[in-house]
């Protein structure tokens, strides 16, 4: 079965995503040919598309155990003490001059070895990859193909750009050659694709059509709960509040992408009905729709499987009826190694429980 893998952003909660992917691969449920990702999902898509799932999991687990060394704060203890003791005499100018509060140079060094020979590896596997980034100069969201839209020496920087959460990390300078983009061919600053598109579902559909692939299904793995009811989590601090505001804004993009998927499935069902009918009026309608809708002749019915944290599955996993996912899920840059390992285990556990997944657009439609 030809499927696409769509990976959302979510900061260090990408370790949950890695756990899900790792266990699905072990179970043989990894027939993916199209991979799309933003932010933390960009790292996972980049590695999963190369069949480097075990290395992907190892990377996250090592980072959890080492205290997220790939993301180092630029404010040293002396500076933080000065902020606390004499807020009127702060090194305010230094903070103003910062493009990001954290240094992610180590992450770039981790990614670079995996970029070598990427195009050949993806071609050999028959896989297609898109990384979502936002251009700060034009405001465009781009689903970039690292094998065609960026020079090979900058592939790792493209993935890094997708993880560059505004305010937390520096934007990444790149030259992308994406047809039709206003920033194409120019040296621009790029940042986290999740700032505009938290779950790049439309990117997967577009990449499949571009490659002439008729998808039979799409697997979406989200790092964040979807509209958890009764959340009591409180947000404090500039970075945490900013990240939460971004998350709220980008949820609308996911809703729009979900509507796009449902529309594509409705068109596929209509096409099959017209084909099966075979009468003259049906053939006439089919011909008109084929001429009016790009790619209509390639529409096929798909199912959409969504795997994400939910309050119910979290309580089942922890064995605590009072477990509160909204409070206990780690933050974007949480350094609690024990909690991150637990979230990784939660992802692997959830992959084994299809009754807790959400499936739409097929005869087995259900909500988990």
């Amino acid at each position: 079965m030809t499927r696409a893998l769509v990976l959302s952003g979510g900061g260090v909660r990408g370790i949950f995503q890695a756990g899900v992917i790792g266990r699905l691969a072990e179970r043989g449920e990894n027939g993916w040919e199209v991979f799309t990702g933003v932010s933390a999902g960009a790292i996972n898509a980049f590695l999963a598309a190369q069949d480097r799932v075990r290395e992907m999991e190892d990377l996250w687990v090592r980072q959890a155990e080492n205290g997220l060394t790939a993301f180092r704060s630029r404010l040293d203890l002396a500076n933080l003490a000065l902020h606390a003791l004499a807020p009127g005499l702060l090194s305010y100018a230094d903070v103003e001059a910062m493009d990001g509060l954290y240094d992610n140079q180590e992450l770039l060094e981790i990614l670079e070895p995996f970029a070598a020979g990427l195009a050949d590896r993806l071609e050999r596997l028959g896989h297609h990859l898109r990384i979502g980034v936002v251009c700060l100069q034009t405001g465009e969201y781009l689903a970039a193909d690292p094998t065609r839209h960026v020079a090979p020496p900058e592939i790792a920087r493209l993935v890094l750009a997708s993880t560059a959460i505004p305010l937390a990390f520096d934007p990444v300078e790149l030259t992308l050659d994406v047809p039709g983009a206003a920033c194409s061919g120019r040296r621009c600053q790029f940042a986290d694709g999740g700032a505009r598109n938290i779950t790049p579902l439309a990117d997967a559909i577009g990449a499949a059509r571009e490659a002439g692939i008729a998808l039979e299904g799409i697997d979406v793995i989200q790092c964040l709960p979807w509209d958890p009811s009764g959340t009591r989590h409180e947000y404090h601090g500039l970075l945490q509040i900013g990240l939460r505001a971004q998350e709220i804004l980008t949820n609308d993009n996911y809703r729009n992408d979900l509507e796009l998927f449902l529309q594509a499935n409705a068109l596929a069902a209509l096409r099959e009905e017209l084909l099966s009918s075979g009468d003259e009026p049906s053939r006439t309608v089919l011909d008109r729709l084929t001429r009016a809708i790009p790619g209509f002749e390639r529409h096929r019915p798909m199912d959409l499987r969504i795997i994400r944290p939910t309050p119910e599955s979290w309580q089942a996993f922890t064995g605590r009826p009072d477990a509160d996912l909204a409070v206990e899920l780690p933050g974007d840059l949480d350094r609690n190694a024990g909690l991150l390992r637990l979230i990784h285990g939660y992802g692997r556990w959830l992959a084994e429980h299809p009754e807790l997944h959400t499936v739409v657009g097929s005869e087995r439609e259900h909500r988990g």
Side-chain angles (χ1 to χ4, degrees):
M1 178 176 285
T2 305
R3 302 185 69 82
L5 180 64
V6 176
L7 303 176
S8 78
V12 297
R13 288 164 296 216
I15 195 171
F16 162 83
Q17 204 172 63
V20 175
I21 298 168
R23 190 65 188 117
L24 288 177
E26 290 170 4
R27 291 164 58 88
E29 299 181 51
N30 58 334
W32 305 302
E33 291 188 17
V34 176
F35 299 76
T36 65
V38 295
S39 196
I43 298 174
N44 290 333
F46 175 60
L47 295 174
Q50 300 182 60
D51 254 0
R52 286 171 153 156
V53 172
R54 174 52 58 190
E55 290 156 288
M56 174 194 67
E57 280 198 276
D58 289 346
L59 187 159
W60 283 102
V61 171
R62 282 198 310 273
Q63 279 297 310
E65 292 175 347
N66 295 337
L68 294 186
T69 57
F71 309 130
R72 295 184 185 277
S73 174
R74 287 187 167 131
L75 295 176
D76 57 27
L77 291 176
N79 200 2
L80 290 173
L82 182 61
H83 277 251
L85 296 173
L89 300 174
L90 299 182
S91 51
Y92 180 70
D94 291 342
V95 176
E96 283 280 295
M98 286 184 183
D99 290 330
L101 296 174
Y102 294 87
D103 182 359
N104 54 2
Q105 180 63 32
E106 183 177 322
L107 177 59
L108 178 61
E109 294 169 0
I110 291 171
L111 295 172
E112 282 177 334
F114 296 109
L118 177 70
D120 290 341
R121 191 174 182 91
L122 293 184
E123 183 178 6
R124 185 169 64 254
L125 292 167
H127 291 172
H128 304 268
L129 173 63
R130 297 293 184 273
I131 301 296
V133 292
V134 169
C135 176
L136 294 185
Q137 275 66 41
T138 65
E140 295 169 289
Y141 172 84
L142 303 175
D145 179 347
T147 67
R148 295 187 297 123
H149 297 156
V150 65
E154 294 202 312
I155 288 174
R157 289 176 59 80
L158 171 64
V159 181
L160 186 73
S162 189
T163 70
I165 301 169
L167 185 63
F169 303 108
D170 297 352
V172 178
E173 287 193 2
L174 290 168
T175 301
L176 296 184
D177 186 13
V178 181
C183 63
S184 187
R186 296 163 45 193
R187 196 71 176 174
C188 293
Q189 294 169 298
F190 293 90
D192 183 4
R196 286 282 304 275
N197 190 1
I198 194 66
T199 304
L201 179 58
D203 295 356
I205 296 173
R209 288 180 182 167
E210 186 178 340
I213 296 173
L215 290 175
E216 298 174 70
I218 301 176
D219 293 324
V220 174
I221 305 178
Q222 297 176 321
C223 300
L224 300 170
W226 181 247
D227 292 336
S229 59
T231 178
R232 295 188 300 278
H233 189 77
E234 295 183 358
Y235 299 91
H236 299 287
L238 181 64
L239 180 59
Q240 194 178 78
I241 293 171
L243 291 172
R244 176 55 179 161
Q246 174 185 313
E247 177 189 324
I248 292 169
L249 290 172
T250 53
N251 277 340
D252 281 341
N253 293 86
Y254 172 64
R255 291 189 183 96
N256 291 337
D257 280 1
L258 187 57
E259 288 178 8
L260 175 67
F261 167 81
L262 295 173
Q263 290 169 5
N265 249 18
L267 287 171
L270 175 60
R271 179 179 179 277
E272 288 201 338
E273 185 176 335
L274 292 171
L275 283 171
S276 63
S277 178
D279 56 34
E280 186 61 32
S282 295
R283 286 196 296 271
T284 300
V285 173
L286 185 63
D287 180 63
R288 289 178 178 175
L289 288 172
T290 301
R291 285 187 277 111
I293 302 173
F296 180 73
E297 70 280 2
R298 295 196 299 272
H299 278 68
R300 298 291 186 277
M302 295 181 285
D303 72 86
L304 178 70
R305 175 171 62 166
I306 305 170
I307 304 176
R308 62 182 176 227
T310 64
E312 296 76 19
S313 65
W314 179 245
Q315 290 171 358
F317 169 70
T318 60
R320 293 186 291 112
D322 62 341
D324 192 337
L325 177 67
V327 173
E328 297 171 10
L329 196 68
D332 283 69
L333 295 172
D334 200 312
R335 295 174 184 270
N336 185 326
L339 179 57
L340 293 175
R341 284 195 298 269
L342 182 65
I343 293 298
H344 176 247
Y346 174 41
R348 292 183 62 83
W349 176 87
L350 191 55
E352 296 181 348
H353 290 79
E355 73 279 6
L356 296 173
H357 307 165
T358 298
V359 180
V360 296
S362 74
E363 293 180 358
R364 59 192 181 103
E365 180 169 333
H366 71 268
R367 294 278 177 178

